[in-house]
Amino acid sequence: MCRRQRILDISPASASEHASLLREAGLVSSERRGNRVWHRLTPLGLEFLHGPRRQLDL
């Protein structure tokens, strides 16, 4: 069981489906390493999570 499944209390199938939807939306990227898949927020995912970054005029 992965950390995401434990935190969200969901089945492996649900975790996989959610990850697929996030990937399709461009919010995360995934990389297989052996028998595990590592997920990482994309720049779009970071912006969605934290809001757009303001550009400062100096």
Side-chain angles (χ1 to χ4, degrees), residues 7-20:
I7 291 170
L8 299 174
D9 191 28
I10 58 177
S11 70
S14 289
S16 179
E17 180 66 23
H18 283 84
S20 293

Side-chain angles (χ1 to χ4, degrees), residues 1-23 28 30 37 39:
M1 182 179 283
C2 74
R3 190 172 117 208
R4 178 180 61 236
Q5 291 167 238
R6 283 191 306 272
I7 291 170
L8 299 174
D9 191 28
I10 58 177
S11 70
S14 289
S16 179
E17 180 66 23
H18 283 84
S20 293
L21 292 171
L22 291 169
R23 240 186 342 270
V28 299
S30 302
V37 178
H39 304 283

Side-chain angles (χ1 to χ4, degrees), residues 14-46:
S14 289
S16 179
E17 180 66 23
H18 283 84
S20 293
L21 292 171
L22 291 169
R23 240 186 342 270
E24 289 172 17
L27 300 175
V28 299
S29 62
S30 302
E31 177 185 345
R32 181 169 291 281
R33 296 182 191 171
N35 63 350
R36 294 182 179 239
V37 178
W38 293 83
H39 304 283
R40 164 179 313 128
L41 285 170
T42 63
L44 178 61
L46 284 169

